[in-house]
Amino acid sequence: MPRSDRFLDIRRDPHSDELLARGGDSEAHSVLQRAGFIAVVRVHETYHRAPTGLTEDDESRLATDAVAHLWVAGYHVDCDEDINTGSRPANYLPLGSSSPISPSGSARPPPRKRRPMH
């Protein structure tokens, strides 16, 4: 049985013309915020909106990126046609995981092999 918190809806509100994202669990909220959405917390609901001041093209790019990352994370996203590009980026690394990139930003060299002493 699918969990209901794995479903999200990302659409432009017909009354305010705001780009809104509704639904999902805490992981989905994290993905939306990493993509650039802003959390709106109300007494009985939490949803996300695009930041104010973005052009419609920038809002579409923001939503397209969020939808792609949500799909990679295993969420079902119902969205407007112009947002659904079908792209699938690499998933965000989980918090606390190690990366092959060093803190300086360069790739770490492979570990050196020790030669046996004779």
Side-chain angles (χ1 to χ4, degrees):
M1 182 167 147
R3 292 177 35 192
S4 63
D5 56 0
R6 301 297 288 184
F7 292 86
L8 289 98
D9 186 54
I10 300 179
R11 298 192 180 281
R12 194 165 294 284
D13 185 70
H15 304 290
S16 67
D17 206 35
E18 279 187 296
L19 182 62
L20 302 177
R22 297 183 184 274
D25 56 11
S26 60
E27 181 185 1
H29 296 278
S30 175
V31 171
L32 288 167
Q33 289 174 20
R34 286 181 186 190
F37 277 84
I38 297 174
V40 178
V41 180
R42 303 279 188 223
V43 174
H44 296 290
E45 86 173 315
T46 298
Y47 62 95
H48 291 78
R49 66 169 176 78
T52 57
L54 294 180
T55 65
E56 196 166 321
D57 287 342
D58 289 338
E59 285 183 348
S60 292
R61 278 192 288 279
L62 177 91
T64 300
D65 182 54
V67 167
H69 281 95
L70 288 163
W71 279 335
V72 167
Y75 289 90
H76 172 78
V77 183
D78 190 22
C79 58
D80 293 329
E81 283 296 316
D82 61 330
I83 297 171
N84 182 2
T85 63
S87 67
R88 301 289 189 275
N91 199 0
Y92 290 121
L93 289 173
L95 293 177
S97 67
S98 62
S99 169
I101 303 298
S102 70
S104 67
S106 62
R108 291 184 191 151
R112 292 185 353 196
K113 294 182 180 178
R114 293 185 178 218
R115 290 186 171 166
M117 296 183 78
H118 295 280

